[in-house]
Amino acid sequence: MPDYSFHRPEYSGTTTGEWSSPRENDFDTDDLSTIADHFLLSSSGFPPDDFTDLKLPVVNPDGELNLNALETAHGGAHSVEAIDGIDDDTKRTVKDTVEELASDEFDHEIGD
């Protein structure tokens, strides 16, 4: 069972545009530490050992925090709830951060 590391994402703007989870080739760089700034979790720490270690992307490859990605990360089939083996403290940290980012950056409520 992996021990997931949490990472607060870095972004340069915000968007409410459509969302689909990025693939490694969607980024203009091969630098995993730069790519990791778009994700909330890694199973191998930050920077990650491999792109596949990254979980819960919330920032588009162009650097914009995406509201739809935050909603996806919070609940549903591709959310923090769906990750096998994640401990409750890390899960709560992710949900709290997603709720905070949605509220602060979009004036939008996500949550229970």
Side-chain angles (χ1 to χ4, degrees):
M1 180 162 50
D3 185 22
Y4 288 96
S5 298
F6 170 77
H7 173 80
R8 191 167 180 89
E10 293 184 24
Y11 51 94
S12 58
T14 61
T15 184
T16 58
E18 289 187 31
W19 172 254
S20 62
S21 187
R23 296 177 308 254
E24 187 171 10
N25 63 354
D26 292 334
F27 296 93
D28 291 336
T29 182
D30 293 335
D31 180 14
L32 283 177
S33 63
T34 299
I35 293 172
D37 289 341
H38 297 75
F39 293 78
L40 295 172
L41 293 176
S42 171
S43 61
S44 61
F46 287 94
D49 294 334
D50 192 78
F51 180 80
T52 58
D53 296 341
L54 296 168
K55 305 290 183 218
L56 302 178
V58 294
V59 176
N60 293 344
D62 65 2
E64 292 182 313
L65 181 67
N66 189 298
L67 178 60
N68 293 311
L70 292 172
E71 289 178 336
T72 298
H74 191 274
H78 301 286
S79 73
V80 66
E81 297 289 342
I83 297 175
D84 288 333
I86 189 169
D87 66 78
D88 289 339
D89 288 340
T90 303
K91 188 183 301 185
R92 185 74 252 159
T93 298
V94 167
K95 290 186 122 191
D96 288 347
T97 300
V98 166
E99 291 168 12
E100 175 190 328
L101 288 169
S103 178
D104 291 353
E105 297 294 343
F106 298 95
D107 195 28
H108 180 80
E109 294 295 318
I110 296 177
D112 312 48

